[in-house]
Amino acid sequence: MAIQLNERDHLIFKLIDEHQVLLEKHISWFISGDDKPVLIRDRLRKLFYLDYLLCHRHGTKLPWWTTPTKPLVYMLAPLTRSISGLKDEEIDLFDSDVQRHLLEVANLRMMHLIGVKENEISDFTWTTCKATETTAKHVDATVKFKVGGTAHNFGIINHPTANAELVSNIESAIKAGVDSVLIVARDEAHQATVQALLATSSVSKKVFFSTHHELYKTGIVKSIWQTADQRAADLFSSNVVAAAWAPTFTAVAI
């Protein structure tokens, strides 16, 4: 049974190609912008049944996933890549570690959109970064937004490896135009390792740190970001009301 692909279907394909793997919740937020996330479960299932999407359960337990069953991960099927003129992926998207990284990056985009919905962030734009044949990837994404009228332009790196290449990537991102780089770790121990590396580097004043748990708990703007020397960073507090952030989703919005 064939279906007539609509504009939203092609937007779904574009978003999945951009992020490589996505969960239903991510897609719902991304296609709705700052409005209430839309319900698209039935459409995703139909696109899967008709071979436009690949769908399977993630192979490992994700610490931010709180339901008993493992989450359904959506990827583009060969049919969709063919009709959309998209290249095949060069990495193994069925690898659990690869998926986890990509899903965490998508979560960070969704957290910014929740900030928009909560009127903490305005004029938000997100760009997912990928390596190309001629250009290396230095950060996972770049974001531009305003908080209380103050404009911000950040690069975002998710759970990086603590090595010399990280310093080089941050230097390149700053040269390319971002004001500073937000580094989000999976846990405080890894965050401390990266902070120790960067504290004596050339980019020590241009990096700020948080963990996924902290961001899920308090939001992008009200999170207590840290500097490379483990001090609290005043990134947004002078531009926002000091009231506690009240999330409108269960656990981590997944």
Side-chain angles (χ1 to χ4, degrees), residues 87-223:
K87 294 182 179 179
D88 292 334
E89 293 288 357
E90 297 182 355
I91 58 176
D92 182 6
L93 295 183
F94 287 94
D95 181 276
S96 296
D97 291 334
V98 170
Q99 286 186 3
R100 180 177 181 179
H101 177 84
L102 296 171
L103 294 174
E104 286 172 345
V105 173
N107 279 353
L108 295 174
R109 180 175 183 172
M110 187 173 68
M111 293 302 299
H112 282 82
L113 290 172
I114 291 172
V116 173
K117 188 174 184 295
E118 296 293 320
N119 296 317
E120 296 175 347
I121 291 173
S122 62
D123 297 341
F124 171 66
T125 59
W126 168 285
T127 303
T128 304
C129 298
K130 289 184 178 181
T132 67
E133 294 179 356
T134 58
T135 306
K137 186 184 79 169
H138 304 300
V139 295
D140 290 302
T142 60
V143 291
K144 294 181 180 180
F145 56 87
K146 290 182 179 178
V147 176
T150 300
H152 299 275
N153 179 12
F154 296 120
I156 294 178
I157 300 178
N158 177 66
H159 199 71
T161 302
N163 56 23
E165 185 180 1
L166 175 60
V167 178
S168 175
N169 283 337
I170 295 170
E171 289 175 338
S172 296
I174 292 170
K175 288 178 181 178
V178 302
D179 297 328
S180 52
V181 173
L182 306 180
I183 297 177
V184 185
R186 291 171 186 163
D187 54 66
E188 294 178 352
H190 186 77
Q191 175 179 296
T193 299
V194 179
Q195 284 173 307
L197 170 71
L198 298 183
T200 57
S201 73
S202 59
V203 298
S204 61
K205 304 299 183 183
K206 294 289 188 177
V207 289
F208 301 96
F209 300 82
S210 189
T211 64
H212 283 279
H213 177 74
E214 171 67 19
L215 293 180
Y216 298 154
K217 182 175 66 174
T218 58
I220 296 294
V221 172
K222 296 212 171 75
S223 176

Side-chain angles (χ1 to χ4, degrees), residues 34-51:
D34 57 358
D35 297 324
K36 184 178 179 180
V38 296
L39 297 175
I40 60 168
R41 177 172 300 178
D42 290 345
R43 192 63 176 181
L44 289 175
R45 299 296 188 272
K46 180 169 288 188
L47 292 171
F48 164 64
Y49 293 142
L50 297 176
D51 296 326

